[in-house]
Amino acid sequence: MYLPSATESAVEKENTTNKEVHRKNKEKQKQDNCMATVDQKVTIDCPWSIYSTIIALTFCIPFHAKHSLLSAGKRKYVQVCVQNLSELCFQLSDNSLKNSADCTDLQLVPLNPEAQQVIYSKQSIFFVWELKWTKELPLSLQCLFSVSFCPATSEEQSLTLKPFTYEFQVENFFTLYHVKTEIFPPLGAEYCKTGSLCSLEVSITRLVDLSEVDRDEALTESD
């Protein structure tokens, strides 16, 4: 995305004060938008002028994505979070997650709505896929997430934009621990009530042995 910025001529470049003000305004613009930016400059020469006009262009990345691996019993899920960093609202559509390794024994089943979704400014939207495998999970999973987007305003929906993509790798599929929690009412009571002291029981069961890396990072008994 392009965000307009002030133009800068060759004469203005010689003025140190103007350059400092322009730099501070640009830094403030970046901080306000909290977006990753790419700066470019275009020089325009006119045949009837001895000066060149320099136009500063700032292209901003509107989204930030991160992933996580979720586990519920023997079922595993890959979750991708997309955060809108810009001040604009967008419509998201055609989300997909592909395994670049093209493993035939592994399927990524989408659990997302097929309809378009509106992501507002500073909002996050989550996409989830369930992992299903026939033989055994691979050692690592190379994933490529993509989603099409366009401005949510009707007059700008005709813009043709490339899909937003996010590439990541998932490792260590093994579930190390099973966690179970349960809340019990006080002795002699049938239900938990507001204001009454109830007990919380947490059960943690190790399912597999720790790997060497996990064993090095694990807490000691004294901790």
Side-chain angles (χ1 to χ4, degrees):
M1 294 175 51
Y2 163 69
L3 293 182
S5 58
T7 58
E8 189 177 21
S9 65
V11 177
E12 291 174 336
K13 287 187 65 178
E14 301 300 326
N15 193 324
T16 308
T17 304
N18 289 345
K19 287 181 64 179
E20 185 67 20
V21 171
H22 178 74
R23 183 184 64 84
K24 289 183 178 180
N25 290 338
K26 200 169 188 180
E27 289 180 355
K28 184 178 184 301
Q29 185 186 44
K30 290 182 180 180
Q31 292 175 359
D32 293 341
N33 289 283
C34 299
M35 288 190 289
T37 59
V38 178
D39 296 328
Q40 299 287 348
K41 289 187 177 181
V42 177
T43 303
I44 300 178
D45 296 320
C46 298
W48 53 84
S49 174
I50 62 174
Y51 301 110
S52 299
T53 301
I54 299 178
I55 300 179
L57 303 178
T58 300
F59 294 91
C60 299
I61 302 175
F63 302 116
H64 170 71
K66 60 182 179 180
H67 68 278
S68 58
L69 180 65
L70 309 178
S71 178
K74 295 183 178 180
R75 305 175 70 177
K76 299 182 186 300
Y77 305 87
V78 174
Q79 177 181 273
V80 177
C81 172
V82 177
Q83 181 183 9
N84 184 3
L85 301 178
S86 71
E87 301 295 336
L88 303 176
C89 301
F90 297 98
Q91 274 193 346
L92 304 182
S93 60
D94 301 329
N95 61 83
S96 66
L97 182 66
K98 296 181 180 180
N99 176 21
S100 58
D102 198 17
C103 182
T104 57
D105 298 330
L106 182 67
Q107 288 185 338
L108 294 168
V109 181
L111 304 178
N112 311 302
E114 296 182 0
Q116 292 185 346
Q117 293 178 280
V118 177
I119 181 170
Y120 297 95
S121 174
K122 312 305 179 186
Q123 183 190 19
S124 297
I125 287 185
F126 296 85
F127 301 91
V128 180
W129 287 263
E130 183 177 0
L131 290 171
K132 290 189 176 181
W133 59 95
T134 55
K135 296 181 180 179
E136 61 181 14
L137 284 172
L139 297 178
S140 64
L141 183 64
Q142 193 73 29
C143 298
L144 178 61
F145 168 79
S146 67
V147 60
S148 300
F149 70 99
C150 66
T153 54
S154 57
E155 62 271 10
E156 294 180 347
Q157 286 186 2
S158 59
L159 293 177
T160 302
L161 302 173
K162 290 184 178 180
F164 172 76
T165 59
Y166 170 62
E167 190 172 359
F168 61 93
Q169 185 173 354
V170 179
E171 296 179 342
N172 298 328
F173 290 94
F174 300 103
T175 301
L176 300 180
Y177 299 97
H178 177 264
V179 181
K180 180 181 179 182
T181 62
E182 192 171 359
I183 300 178
F184 297 95
L187 293 176
E190 186 177 0
Y191 304 104
C192 296
K193 297 182 179 180
T194 303
S196 61
L197 184 62
C198 304
S199 59
L200 169 67
E201 183 178 291
V202 180
S203 172
I204 303 176
T205 305
R206 179 182 293 179
L207 301 181
V208 295
D209 292 334
L210 295 176
S211 64
E212 294 183 1
V213 177
D214 294 328
R215 191 179 294 112
D216 293 337
E217 297 179 353
L219 297 175
T220 62
E221 293 182 2
S222 60
D223 295 331

